[in-house]
Amino acid sequence: VARPPVEELEAGAAFYSEIAPDLDVSHFGAMWHTFTVGHMVATDLDRVARRHGVSIADLHVLGTLRIERKERLRATDLALTLHVSNAALSARIAKLESKGLLIRAPSPADRRAFELQLTPAGAALAEAAIGDISRNAAFIRYFRRLTVADRAALGRIMGELHNLLDRDFVPAKRKDA
Amino acid sequence: VARPPVEELEAGAAFYSEIAPDLDVSHFGAMWHTFTVGHMVATDLDRVARRHGVSIADLHVLGTLRIERKERLRATDLALTLHVSNAALSARIAKLESKGLLIRAPSPADRRAFELQLTPAGAALAEAAIGDISRNAAFIRYFRRLTVADRAALGRIMGELHNLLDRDFVPAKRKDA
DNA sequence: TAAGATTGACAAATCAATCTTT
DNA sequence: AAAGATTGATTTGTCAATCTTA
């Protein structure tokens, strides 16, 4: 606990490398830091979102719907984009609708589906919360301390991994799984 | 949904930059990719861990305890290292103990505390699952596709952020909340 | 007073099953 | 059949309160 995470992790990698020489531990650092930093980012963003009365999961919905698109998003589209199950999204949408932050209207094209749209209150909340995040999230504070080259590299590399992983990610049902 | 995540994100950043010119969107990419990739890594690791009969949270406990230390870990130490609340860890420990994977013994130094130690079955499970991860986790498969320079950069930069964020991360128990 | 640990109430996620429409 | 959406059962997390010991 006294040791910083990077030292802790290196000690662990050294230990496992010793008891299991066949084990490739070269990726441990990147994977573990990504796992943990991801968790800390989620916790921190949730803290900021709750100042505006919603969870980070709720804000993810609102922030995605805020972006203008050619076609309205349906619940299923959103579930795929946000990497959650339809069941989880149903509950979130019901909650946000009851709060007056979004409207769920039957799709004119498909009577099974619903199209989602923000109310003015939902749009305002999304913008305020996203502004709050960009000013106050811990990740962004520390991110700004990195060198220009490191910031660019991180964005590019994580983007590559995001694109690669996205294709075979299967939390809420996939096409080619 | 058809668009890959990086394009989707860039379109969102462009949209928000337009409706709110004061907003600094330069960090959106890195933060969002980190958030989402972290979530996907967690989901993927959980999938592998469950082949061995435990969750990734359980395996985090076992894998940490497997590392030899000068002093035994107490439940509270582990909660800090793993970034979860004492309450969550109590439940996890009870479950793992009932499965015969670890032993919870009263601390000789402090009668409030318990010291944790793996059973041989727990140690074997941790090693098998960690080996499975290093051979089969999706993150590692894609990580190996990156250039040598990018792999090194990612490990180094995420490690820096991990160290920075860790210092004021307080999910289980906040000082200033 | 504070720290280690536990419990109960609550929130939110997945999975499996179901209903309607395509 | 298969897809969009919803519900119920189960799991697991945080938070608040409590008990014992330091």
Side-chain angles (χ1 to χ4, degrees):
Chain A
V1 185
R3 285 193 291 194
V6 171
E7 284 181 32
E8 183 74 25
L9 187 133
E10 282 167 1
F15 176 81
Y16 279 104
S17 181
E18 180 146 348
I19 66 168
D22 289 348
L23 195 62
D24 176 11
V25 299
S26 65
H27 50 261
F28 267 34
M31 184 176 70
W32 201 250
H33 295 319
T34 300
F35 176 86
T36 308
V37 171
H39 176 234
M40 292 193 282
V41 169
T43 303
D44 185 52
L45 292 181
D46 197 62
R47 184 181 55 78
V48 177
R50 286 191 189 281
R51 293 206 288 250
H52 300 263
V54 295
S55 70
I56 183 58
D58 297 333
L59 181 58
H60 202 170
V61 169
L62 301 176
T64 303
L65 288 174
R66 181 70 187 88
I67 299 169
E68 305 278 356
R69 293 157 196 280
K70 305 190 176 56
E71 302 183 1
R72 293 255 168 79
L73 286 178
R74 299 170 307 157
T76 290
D77 302 329
L78 208 45
L80 276 175
T81 304
L82 306 192
H83 300 117
V84 296
S85 63
N86 279 3
L89 206 50
S90 274
R92 262 191 229 170
I93 287 171
K95 187 178 58 180
L96 293 172
E97 191 181 24
S98 77
K99 283 184 169 188
L101 298 173
L102 62 77
I103 293 169
R104 208 191 56 171
S107 165
D110 183 340
R111 292 204 313 212
R112 292 171 303 179
F114 291 89
E115 292 183 346
L116 305 172
Q117 188 183 11
L118 292 188
T119 62
L125 191 154
E127 286 166 38
I130 288 173
D132 195 357
I133 284 172
S134 84
R135 286 185 301 276
N136 299 308
F139 178 89
I140 291 173
R141 267 205 317 277
Y142 292 127
F143 183 69
R144 292 204 175 109
R145 290 197 195 169
L146 300 176
T147 66
V148 174
D150 280 358
R151 274 180 280 180
L154 186 65
R156 175 180 57 77
I157 300 169
M158 290 301 288
E160 269 183 55
L161 286 170
H162 192 168
N163 273 349
L164 290 168
L165 283 163
D166 193 68
R167 282 189 294 163
D168 63 6
F169 190 67
V170 238
K173 184 172 303 174
R174 285 208 36 84
K175 328 194 82 79
D176 53 6
Chain B
V1 187
R3 285 193 292 195
V6 171
E7 284 181 32
E8 182 75 26
L9 188 133
E10 282 168 0
F15 175 81
Y16 278 104
S17 181
E18 180 147 349
I19 66 168
D22 288 349
L23 197 62
D24 176 10
V25 299
S26 65
H27 50 261
F28 266 35
M31 184 176 70
W32 201 250
H33 295 319
T34 301
F35 176 87
T36 308
V37 170
H39 176 232
M40 292 193 282
V41 168
T43 303
D44 184 53
L45 292 181
D46 197 60
R47 182 181 56 75
V48 177
R50 286 191 189 280
R51 294 205 288 251
H52 300 263
V54 296
S55 70
I56 183 57
D58 296 333
L59 180 58
H60 202 171
V61 169
L62 300 176
T64 303
L65 288 174
R66 181 69 186 87
I67 300 169
E68 304 279 354
R69 294 158 196 281
K70 305 191 175 56
E71 301 184 2
R72 294 254 170 79
L73 286 177
R74 299 170 307 157
T76 291
D77 302 329
L78 208 45
L80 276 174
T81 303
L82 307 191
H83 300 118
V84 295
S85 62
N86 278 2
L89 206 51
S90 274
R92 262 191 230 170
I93 288 172
K95 186 179 59 178
L96 294 172
E97 190 180 25
S98 78
K99 285 184 168 187
L101 299 173
L102 61 78
I103 292 168
R104 207 191 53 165
S107 165
D110 182 340
R111 292 204 314 212
R112 292 172 302 180
F114 290 89
E115 292 183 346
L116 305 172
Q117 188 183 11
L118 292 188
T119 63
L125 192 154
E127 284 166 39
I130 288 173
D132 195 358
I133 284 173
S134 84
R135 287 185 300 275
N136 300 309
F139 179 89
I140 290 172
R141 265 204 320 276
Y142 293 127
F143 182 70
R144 293 205 175 107
R145 290 197 196 169
L146 300 176
T147 66
V148 174
D150 280 358
R151 274 179 280 179
L154 187 64
R156 176 180 55 78
I157 299 170
M158 289 302 286
E160 269 183 54
L161 286 170
H162 192 167
N163 274 348
L164 288 168
L165 283 162
D166 192 69
R167 281 189 293 163
D168 63 7
F169 189 71
V170 236
K173 182 173 308 175
R174 288 189 62 79
K175 323 194 87 77
D176 53 4

